[in-house]
Amino acid sequence: MILLIAGLCGVVTGWFDLNEFNQASEVVSDLFIRMLKLISLPIIFFALVSTLSGMGNASDVKRLGGQVLKYTVITTLVAATVALALYLFIAPAGNISPLAAAAEPSGPSGSYWSYLIGVIPSSFIEPFYTHNVMGVLFLALLLSAATMALENQHKEVLHSFFDSMFAAIMKMTGLILKLMPLAVWAFVNQFIHDLQGQAILQDLALYLLCVLLANIVQAGLILPLFLKFKGISPWQTMKAMWPALTVAFFAKSSAAALPYAVECAEKDMKVQSKVARFSLPLCITVNMNACAAFILITVLFVSQSNGVMFSPLELLSWIVIASIAAIGNAGVPMGCYMLSSAFLAAMGVPLQLLVIILPFYALIDMLESAINVWSDSCVTAMVNADLLPDMSLREGESDKATQVDHH
């Protein structure tokens, strides 16, 4: 409600086009962007490292965790790929062709090989002061892999440190977000002041259509096909998990739906307890299909709307970047939105349009939370089918599954 009021105030002051308001909005927006840039790369780095470094290394955990991560990575990559395909087809960024700058990469100059080499920094701090997002992701993955390979004693200490650092960064983010109403006013004021014609409104509508279609295709087509391939009934799975999906939708939180998801998986989907109680909490942390689609579409849309061009290789690389970011994203409020803003801030892209998207994100977040839990349920069902085939909710066998006891 406060953000809505702030946005309406921005519309009014922008409409009157008073010089005092315009100057004040420029100062406020500049300060807000500076603060977002301050925390942008640390959010990306510590979100990924704190998540991955906490994964266990015992044999049972490896077996179950390996299956969960396998399906998580596959479904997340597919979600990002579908999002990119829809983005290229719908082209929400006005008349800007997504491939218009194939000969002018926005990243490091030179060949694609030099671009790939630029991903590996020459020092640990270099990607942070050069705003090399790919370099930060590379360091996070490398450090996470090294941490997971350590003995438990050292691993637990490092994971506790990374987790505490991420909590501190998120506390800073929370303080900055308290200024969000003022920032919304400033950005909306500037947006109305700079608005030329109605083209941007059409572009925004196409962007929202792109995000919604990407989520609907992933939830209604891709994930059911995965289940069908495993011989699992998508309809029966959806029916069994519906209470948890409803909670996730209205609570706008996949974490809030976790107790209901575990209960539905065990009682209605007939997943063995040890699978449900391991897979679902892990999926809540790392399996965010809808987040990958949102990050990819939002970053490309806001960037290209501000004149930033991408080569074909860079567009494809965003499939990997968005997938890694979604897997490393913690289950915090507005997590996907904050990661998108972190990427854009790190790239030096103006964030006015991103703040215009914010009022619509409340509805998008509801849909994404439900789809994330649906994806978690599908991954859990597939892991259960792989490890304990007779316990899975197979087509025509859902009634028999309750009679099988596995040891």
Side-chain angles (χ1 to χ4, degrees):
M1 180 60 71
I2 295 177
L3 294 179
L4 181 60
I5 294 174
L8 291 175
C9 291
V11 171
V12 173
T13 56
W15 181 265
F16 284 109
D17 198 20
L18 297 176
N19 188 52
E20 292 80 5
F21 285 125
N22 292 336
Q23 289 181 345
S25 65
E26 288 181 6
V27 172
V28 171
S29 60
D30 183 58
L31 289 174
F32 190 74
I33 289 173
R34 285 175 177 268
M35 287 188 287
L36 283 180
K37 286 184 176 180
L38 175 67
I39 61 173
S40 60
L41 290 179
I43 283 179
I44 297 170
F45 180 79
F46 286 112
L48 191 59
V49 176
S50 65
T51 298
L52 297 182
S53 64
M55 294 184 179
N57 58 0
S59 58
D60 287 344
V61 173
K62 279 187 175 181
R63 185 166 177 249
L64 283 172
Q67 292 293 101
V68 171
L69 291 178
K70 178 182 72 173
Y71 289 120
T72 290
V73 171
I74 293 173
T75 56
T76 305
L77 285 172
V78 171
T81 303
V82 169
L84 179 60
L86 286 170
Y87 182 85
L88 295 176
F89 178 75
I90 297 175
N95 295 322
I96 301 175
S97 171
L99 299 175
E104 296 181 33
S106 61
S109 59
S111 66
Y112 287 155
W113 283 112
S114 64
Y115 172 73
L116 292 175
I117 291 173
V119 171
I120 304 177
S122 58
S123 70
F124 200 90
I125 63 172
E126 178 190 332
F128 291 93
Y129 69 77
T130 59
H131 294 286
N132 181 355
V133 177
M134 286 296 290
V136 170
L137 289 174
F138 175 80
L139 284 178
L141 290 174
L142 192 63
L143 185 57
S144 299
T147 303
M148 286 189 287
L150 294 174
E151 296 179 357
N152 286 337
Q153 178 184 359
H154 302 297
K155 178 181 175 180
E156 290 173 3
V157 171
L158 283 176
H159 173 61
S160 178
F161 169 75
F162 294 137
D163 205 37
S164 298
M165 286 298 298
F166 180 68
I169 294 295
M170 291 310 300
K171 182 64 70 174
M172 292 174 58
T173 303
L175 295 175
I176 293 173
L177 286 179
K178 291 184 181 297
L179 302 175
M180 184 63 81
L182 189 60
V184 168
W185 166 79
F187 285 126
V188 171
N189 181 86
Q190 287 187 315
F191 175 76
I192 298 298
H193 171 68
D194 297 335
L195 186 62
Q196 300 294 330
Q198 301 297 316
I200 187 63
L201 300 180
Q202 179 182 348
D203 294 349
L204 189 60
L206 290 175
Y207 156 79
L208 294 172
L209 175 64
C210 194
V211 172
L212 291 175
L213 280 180
N215 284 315
I216 291 171
V217 169
Q218 180 71 11
L221 179 62
I222 302 300
L223 291 174
L225 285 176
F226 272 101
L227 293 177
K228 278 284 189 180
F229 182 76
K230 288 292 181 180
I232 303 170
S233 168
W235 169 249
Q236 292 295 330
T237 304
M238 173 72 75
K239 184 179 178 181
M241 299 302 298
W242 188 255
L245 302 182
T246 304
V247 171
F249 181 83
F250 288 106
K252 294 189 290 186
S253 170
S254 53
L258 178 58
Y260 300 93
V262 173
E263 183 179 2
C264 292
E266 292 180 2
K267 292 184 177 179
D268 301 322
M269 204 161 63
K270 310 306 178 186
V271 173
Q272 190 175 5
S273 294
K274 72 173 184 179
V275 176
R277 295 178 187 183
F278 178 89
S279 176
L280 286 168
L282 182 57
C283 284
I284 291 295
T285 305
V286 300
N287 186 49
M288 299 187 182
N289 290 182
C291 188
F294 178 84
I295 290 173
L296 185 143
I297 293 172
T298 301
V299 170
L300 294 184
F301 172 68
V302 176
S303 298
Q304 292 192 318
S305 295
N306 284 283
V308 178
M309 301 299 179
F310 297 92
S311 69
L313 177 64
E314 289 171 323
L315 287 173
L316 292 175
S317 71
W318 271 104
I319 294 176
V320 179
I321 296 173
S323 299
I324 293 174
I327 291 172
N329 178 36
V332 296
M334 297 178 63
C336 301
Y337 185 89
M338 289 307 301
L339 274 176
S340 300
S341 65
F343 279 122
L344 290 165
M347 294 162 60
V349 176
L351 301 181
Q352 286 88 341
L353 187 54
L354 184 65
V355 180
I356 301 300
I357 292 171
L358 182 60
F360 301 97
Y361 184 72
L363 295 175
I364 295 173
D365 196 21
M366 296 173 75
L367 180 63
E368 287 182 345
S369 297
I371 291 176
N372 283 337
V373 173
W374 170 234
S375 176
D376 298 342
S377 306
C378 294
V379 168
T380 300
M382 289 188 288
V383 170
N384 190 66
D386 283 348
L387 300 180
L388 303 159
D390 295 326
M391 292 295 293
S392 64
L393 192 67
R394 295 183 175 274
E395 292 181 284
E397 299 179 6
S398 57
D399 294 333
K400 298 179 183 178
T402 57
Q403 302 173 6
V404 181
D405 182 23
H406 285 272
H407 297 279

